Amino acid sequence: MTAPYTGGCQCGQIRYEIRAEPLTLYACHCKECQKQSSSAFGMSMPVPRDAVVIIRGKPKQWKRVSDSGREVICLFCGECGTRIFHNPARNSKITNVKPGTLDDTSWLKPVGNLWTRSSQKWVVLSEQMLNYEAQPSDFTQLFELFQSE
C-alpha cells in the first residue's frame, strides 16, 4: 500500500485521507487503550499531522491524560463513537491514526508492543517485535523497524 490512505468511522459520518506514509505501527497494551478499544490492546499508526485531511464530517474531541502522564486529544465520531485519531500534546507534528478505521487493513503489521507490563496474561508477545514495558522515551527504533519491513 502507498499513500493516499482512506478511512472513516463505522457510520460513515467521518471520512479522512492520509496523504503521507505512516511512520510506524504498534500495539499499545495500556489500560486506557484496553478500555478505549474494548479489547486487549489498541493500535496506533503515527503519521505526519499535516498529512491528515478530513474530507467529510467533523470529529468531536476530548482530552485525557495518558498512562505516561501526557495529555492526549482524542478525536471520534459524535454519531457512532468510533475513535479515529489521537493527537499527543507532546508532539504537535504527528497524529496517531487508529488503523482499524482504514478502508483497507490487509497490509497492517505492527512492529512493536508498548505498555507490555499491563498486557493481558493470555497475549503472546512476539520476540521479533520491539517490546516495551511502558512508553518508550524514543520511538526511533519503532520508526526504523517499520521502514525496513
Side-chain angles (χ1 to χ4, degrees):
M1 290 291 299
T2 58
Y5 303 92
T6 58
C9 66
Q10 281 184 287
C11 72
Q13 294 289 317
I14 308 291
R15 295 289 304 155
Y16 67 84
E17 187 172 270
I18 301 168
R19 298 178 177 169
E21 295 305 315
L23 302 171
T24 192
L25 176 63
Y26 58 85
C28 181
H29 300 265
C30 76
K31 294 297 184 186
E32 282 296 318
C33 281
Q34 290 179 29
K35 186 174 291 234
Q36 174 261 309
S37 69
S38 301
S39 187
F41 55 86
M43 290 198 327
S44 289
M45 186 177 77
V47 300
R49 195 171 294 182
D50 61 3
V52 178
V53 179
I54 304 294
I55 54 178
R56 181 169 63 226
K58 183 172 169 91
K60 292 193 179 231
Q61 67 179 29
W62 69 284
K63 294 178 186 177
R64 70 173 177 85
V65 176
S66 67
D67 284 352
S68 66
R70 298 177 176 138
E71 186 177 86
V72 178
I73 299 167
C74 306
L75 292 96
F76 62 98
C77 175
E79 187 66 30
C80 67
T82 302
R83 188 77 60 98
I84 305 170
F85 310 117
H86 287 174
N87 288 336
R90 68 175 160 73
N91 187 345
S92 63
K93 294 181 186 217
I94 67 160
T95 290
N96 287 320
V97 175
K98 305 314 285 178
T101 64
L102 291 167
D103 293 333
D104 181 2
T105 60
S106 65
W107 59 275
L108 297 176
K109 183 181 175 195
V111 296
N113 293 287
L114 280 57
W115 290 95
T116 59
R117 70 177 174 213
S118 54
S119 66
Q120 295 296 314
K121 299 301 176 214
W122 54 265
V123 172
V124 178
L125 301 173
S126 170
E127 295 292 324
Q128 280 72 49
M129 297 171 77
L130 297 170
N131 296 306
Y132 301 90
E133 282 194 1
Q135 182 88 7
S137 58
D138 183 354
F139 280 68
T140 303
Q141 284 185 302
L142 288 160
F143 294 158
E144 288 172 351
L145 183 55
F146 186 79
Q147 300 305 319
S148 72
E149 295 280 311

